[in-house]
Amino acid sequence: MKTCVLIGKPNVGKTLLLLNLAKFLGNKTIKLHFINADGNSMAKVYDIEVAKHYLCNRQPFSTMGIQWARINVGRQYIELVDTTGLTNDMPEAIDLRSAMAQTIIFIKNASILLHVVDASALSSQTLPIDDIDTVLSDTFGRNDNYLMLVNKIDMMDRTDGLSNKVTQAFNVSDDKIIYVSALNKTGFNGIINRINE
């Protein structure tokens, strides 16, 4: 079974993507497994709309640990893993440091890395060289198991020129980039097709 791990900064839409992808595939409920930073785990079945209400938040670091679900994607079941957002700076809070370390462990063991970036953050032409998205794309972008999901295209007035900004900002080829809206479920067929390859 493939383990598909959603990685990226806080508030790029990883949790909403997980939940709406499950809904897009015909699920009304989802069994989420939670593993907090100290290793304790539990599972809970949610109505997907209720899960969005409780788990999707505009505050950074709403996901403080790992949450994952087993879902049917076309011809197979996958484990779709939502992780704590990664940042450029090491946070002071010990629980947040532990949650980020846990994310790094899951990255190492992923069958497919789904790197979620915020399209609206690409409004500037250049990103800092040490930006965590740049570090992630430089580190994993040439790997066969890597896919960049440029999210929140629904929030952009214009998307012309976005492809050029993405390829200039990140060391990733066009065939590893899918433009998506986790909110509107745009681009989800592309994600499913890539997972099923």
Side-chain angles (χ1 to χ4, degrees):
M1 182 181 308
K2 290 180 180 174
T3 301
C4 303
V5 179
L6 295 159
I7 60 172
K9 291 180 180 177
N11 285 65
V12 293
K14 297 183 297 293
T15 302
L16 183 60
L17 200 145
L18 181 151
L19 295 171
N20 270 348
L21 186 59
K23 188 170 185 178
F24 181 78
L25 292 165
N27 298 285
K28 292 186 180 355
T29 61
I30 189 168
K31 183 177 184 180
L32 284 173
H33 302 261
F34 300 90
I35 308 168
N36 65 21
D38 63 10
N40 292 325
S41 63
M42 63 168 271
K44 185 172 180 177
V45 176
Y46 286 94
D47 174 276
I48 289 178
E49 291 304 313
V50 171
K52 286 195 277 189
H53 175 74
Y54 284 109
L55 301 175
C56 298
N57 194 316
R58 291 178 190 241
Q59 296 297 319
F61 303 113
S62 297
T63 304
M64 286 290 292
I66 300 297
Q67 47 199 35
W68 64 274
R70 183 170 291 141
I71 58 175
N72 186 299
V73 179
R75 302 181 304 257
Q76 64 185 317
Y77 279 92
I78 65 162
E79 291 178 346
L80 188 57
V81 180
D82 182 19
T83 63
T84 299
L86 297 171
T87 61
N88 297 343
D89 302 317
M90 184 59 71
E92 289 185 26
I94 297 294
D95 57 343
L96 190 48
R97 287 183 190 191
S98 297
M100 286 186 183
Q102 188 181 39
T103 293
I104 292 166
I105 291 167
F106 271 79
I107 289 172
K108 182 180 173 188
N109 297 315
S111 306
I112 300 174
L113 279 177
L114 300 171
H115 179 191
V116 184
V117 299
D118 184 344
S120 64
L122 298 172
S123 57
S124 67
Q125 281 295 98
T126 58
L127 292 172
I129 194 74
D130 63 344
D131 180 85
I132 192 66
D133 283 328
T134 305
V135 171
L136 291 171
S137 65
D138 284 348
T139 304
F140 302 109
R142 290 191 178 101
N143 295 1
D144 291 338
N145 71 336
Y146 175 91
L147 188 61
M148 178 177 278
L149 306 179
V150 181
N151 189 26
K152 301 187 184 182
I153 60 170
D154 55 287
M155 296 177 64
M156 301 186 73
D157 293 332
R158 299 174 54 190
T159 56
D160 55 311
L162 180 59
S163 176
N164 287 337
K165 287 181 183 177
V166 172
T167 54
Q168 287 173 10
F170 304 109
N171 190 19
V172 178
S173 60
D174 279 333
D175 64 325
K176 293 188 176 203
I177 301 169
I178 299 177
Y179 298 89
V180 302
S181 167
L183 182 64
N184 296 335
K185 305 177 192 83
T186 305
F188 280 19
N189 280 323
I191 298 170
I192 293 163
N193 291 340
R194 292 301 293 273
I195 289 172
N196 278 328
E197 285 180 353

